[in-house]
Amino acid sequence: MDGLDLLKGHWNKNDDFPKIDKEQIKHMLHKSSSSILKWIFLISVIELAVGILLSCTITIEKEHHSSLYTIFYVAFEVLFYIVVLYFMYRFFSSYRNIKNTINTKLLLENILNTRKHVNNYIKFNIYCIIFQFSLVSIEKIIQEVQRKPAGEAILFSMFMVVFVSLFCWLFLLVVRFYYKLLYRRLVHKLDHNYEELIKIEE
Amino acid sequence: MRIIFKICYLLVTSSAYLRLISHMTKNLEIDFVNLLENNQNILHKICRLYAEDLEAHKDLFQEMVIQLWHSYPKFKGESKFSTWAYRVALNTAISLYRTKKRRVATVELDQSLQNIHYEEYNEVQEEQLRFLYAAVRKLSDIEKALVYMYLEDKDYQEIAETLGISEVNARVKMNRIKTKLKTMLNQQGGI
């Protein structure tokens, strides 16, 4: 006798489970879900908010700037918000598309896709912050070069370059660590199951 | 004066709408709870394959109920409730459920095999059954889903549809699982 056939016989006969009554089911309906999707969604909403807050706090200081710099900065700012809006649209539409009633492969694909949008958004935010930071420091260097004698200016620019790259490197390190900690744990199971489904098809 | 009337009218109609909506959701809830109560063994059976212990069983059961309730408005009655429910529940176990790390992994096998009786079986068969249940639990999430549908006598077309793979591949995969289980059983010296 095949092992599974023995199991099948037992499986169909043995369904003596603890009965859960209507009240208990009703109670469950009003409890909150702890699904992976909910966590991904919650975390990304927080990240979205933090991203927007960050971009609000880093604004042009009220110092005098060259007009070229101001134009450049405003253009950058406008572009930034357009891209953020695009991401928000993509993110929410793909989140809405996730339905538990479709087949497993599509469901996994959709969740991982949503995750990818969030990921891209974060990457975009990080690069923007680094870009803004570099922009401000370049402006500072130019100002110093114009004001101070050559020797001092070179020293200052060298110091700035080292400081900025050190900061960017540290920043990336922290962010990467955060992702490893948070998302890899969440999405690991999904990735694994999705890969298995793909493998079956090969 | 007219504005006050208008506001009163709006208030009355909107409260009527609200009452209608809450009434409809109440009805929806009653329907759902009734259907689920009659079909709850579907969920228990899935939990039996996916959950390691009684605590995980309860946890997964609850998550499945919540997911089912959330997707219930999309259930259009084109298929049977039981068919729809097992699909949503399986998808929950495979993709939405977060397995929590438990403190002790040394739960006794018997305790973890929730309510499984072997009265009609002889000792050898009982031993084999215990081993088989444990072996199936060791399979991957996808393989468990295949085993579940096989045990529930679903045809390959339905299995393929549920997982989103082709029928031929579902068949191939199922055969591989059978062989895998057989080897495991043989190695254990069962058959």
Side-chain angles (χ1 to χ4, degrees), chain B residues 111-123:
Chain B
Q111 193 198 330
S112 69
L113 300 172
Q114 306 99 19
N115 287 300
I116 299 182
H117 306 295
Y118 306 97
E119 284 95 16
E120 303 150 41
Y121 294 87
N122 62 39
E123 253 171 60

Side-chain angles (χ1 to χ4, degrees), chain A residues 140-192:
Chain A
K140 278 267 178 314
I141 290 173
I142 291 171
Q143 274 178 359
E144 290 300 306
V145 169
Q146 281 167 350
R147 241 184 272 153
K148 282 177 185 155
E152 214 173 305
I154 288 170
L155 205 72
F156 178 77
S157 354
M158 271 168 70
F159 169 73
M160 273 305 263
V161 168
V162 169
F163 176 71
V164 169
S165 19
L166 206 72
F167 169 79
C168 293
W169 178 71
L170 263 174
F171 190 66
L172 281 175
L173 217 67
V174 170
V175 170
R176 205 167 291 162
F177 178 69
Y178 165 76
Y179 273 99
K180 228 185 224 167
L181 215 70
L182 205 68
Y183 281 112
R184 227 165 258 179
R185 276 187 53 201
L186 268 181
V187 199
H188 177 76
K189 182 184 157 190
L190 298 184
D191 266 336
H192 188 78

